[in-house]
Amino acid sequence: NVTPPSHPPFIRRSDGNGSIDRRKRAASSEVFSLDLHLSQAPTDLKNLVRRFHALQAERVEAYKLFEEGHESYLRTGPHYDFEHYKQLVHEITKAFCGISKEVLEIKEQLHQDFDRPDLSEHIDKLQIKEKEKLELTAKLQLGKQNAQDHPEDEDFQEKVREIKQDIIKNTAALSEILQDFKYDSEELE
């Protein structure tokens, strides 16, 4: 007879919608709460741009939570707590999907309602790079686990270094796209 753990999983849903919020449960364990605040899309251009920036900030926070959750998962090795990690991946995926959905709605509004194809194109480029970043992050997490499980195998360590370099390049490309978006939308401020 196995008693389920009394501690909560890596993530706890609060209202089921999706923006990201962290809560400390105890000094050594964190519970993550993802609440996507999918509100009505702003109707004016300035607020639409602000909402886009807020969504990007939520993405950054989601990546931080994903990384922290993965680090917690790695600390459970060699007998990994996969069920909790699987729940983390599910919740983070749900958050990223909600963010992407709203970003794509903003992209459409920028193009259709406000005749700003320049800003819409930046979002297209950004979404491609964000997808790439998520794929690289998943590869990095798997690579870190392989490196931890096989510390004697330098190939796993090298693969982690290569993926980290790819993530750095991806982050630089994302920053450039966001800078271009900011520059092209500055007259709104």
Side-chain angles (χ1 to χ4, degrees), residues 2-17:
V2 177
T3 307
S6 61
H7 68 282
F10 293 113
I11 296 174
R12 175 174 289 157
R13 305 275 316 151
S14 58
D15 73 0
N17 294 19

Side-chain angles (χ1 to χ4, degrees), residues 140 143 154-164:
L140 179 62
E154 184 57 34
D155 288 344
F156 287 117
Q157 310 298 326
E158 181 58 32
K159 187 67 177 167
V160 167
R161 286 189 288 274
E162 288 172 14
I163 296 168
K164 284 182 178 180

Side-chain angles (χ1 to χ4, degrees), residues 30-183:
E30 281 195 15
V31 177
F32 304 124
S33 173
L34 300 175
D35 306 319
L36 286 175
H37 298 296
L38 299 176
S39 59
Q40 294 295 327
T43 55
D44 67 275
L45 186 55
K46 189 174 183 177
N47 284 327
L48 196 63
V49 169
R50 282 188 188 138
R51 182 63 187 143
F52 168 73
H53 288 298
L55 288 165
Q56 282 304 112
E58 286 185 26
R59 258 197 252 233
V60 169
E61 186 64 18
Y63 274 110
K64 286 179 188 174
L65 295 176
F66 198 22
E67 181 60 29
E68 290 170 6
H70 186 255
E71 292 300 321
S72 293
Y73 167 72
L74 288 178
R75 286 192 295 275
T76 66
H79 306 291
Y80 297 101
D81 184 355
F82 186 69
E83 286 306 309
H84 284 142
Y85 180 67
K86 189 167 81 172
Q87 182 65 27
L88 168 72
V89 171
H90 172 76
E91 296 296 332
I92 292 292
T93 300
K94 202 170 187 178
F96 281 134
C97 286
I99 291 166
S100 287
K101 181 177 183 253
E102 194 170 346
V103 166
L104 290 172
E105 289 169 2
I106 289 171
K107 178 190 95 111
E108 282 305 309
Q109 274 190 286
L110 288 170
H111 191 74
Q112 301 298 327
D113 301 345
F114 297 103
D115 194 30
R116 291 299 304 264
D118 56 331
L119 298 180
S120 181
E121 287 174 28
H122 294 314
I123 290 177
D124 267 340
K125 292 175 189 173
L126 182 89
Q127 287 293 99
I128 291 166
K129 287 297 177 186
E130 287 289 358
K131 181 177 186 272
E132 182 181 306
K133 181 178 180 179
L134 189 56
E135 291 167 356
L136 287 169
T137 299
K139 286 180 185 176
L140 179 62
Q141 289 182 355
L142 182 59
K144 283 181 174 181
Q145 184 175 341
N146 285 334
Q148 179 172 303
D149 291 346
H150 306 283
E152 72 289 346
D153 192 336
E154 184 57 34
D155 288 344
F156 287 117
Q157 310 298 326
E158 181 58 32
K159 187 67 177 167
V160 167
R161 286 189 288 274
E162 288 172 14
I163 296 168
K164 284 182 178 180
Q165 286 303 308
D166 290 342
I167 289 174
I168 289 169
K169 290 175 191 170
N170 175 276
T171 301
L174 281 166
S175 293
E176 186 176 323
I177 294 165
L178 286 168
Q179 210 41 49
D180 290 345
F181 184 92
K182 184 178 179 186
Y183 177 80

Side-chain angles (χ1 to χ4, degrees), residues 12-24:
R12 175 174 289 157
R13 305 275 316 151
S14 58
D15 73 0
N17 294 19
S19 143
I20 297 159
D21 177 26
R22 285 200 275 189
R23 295 184 177 94
K24 294 277 186 191

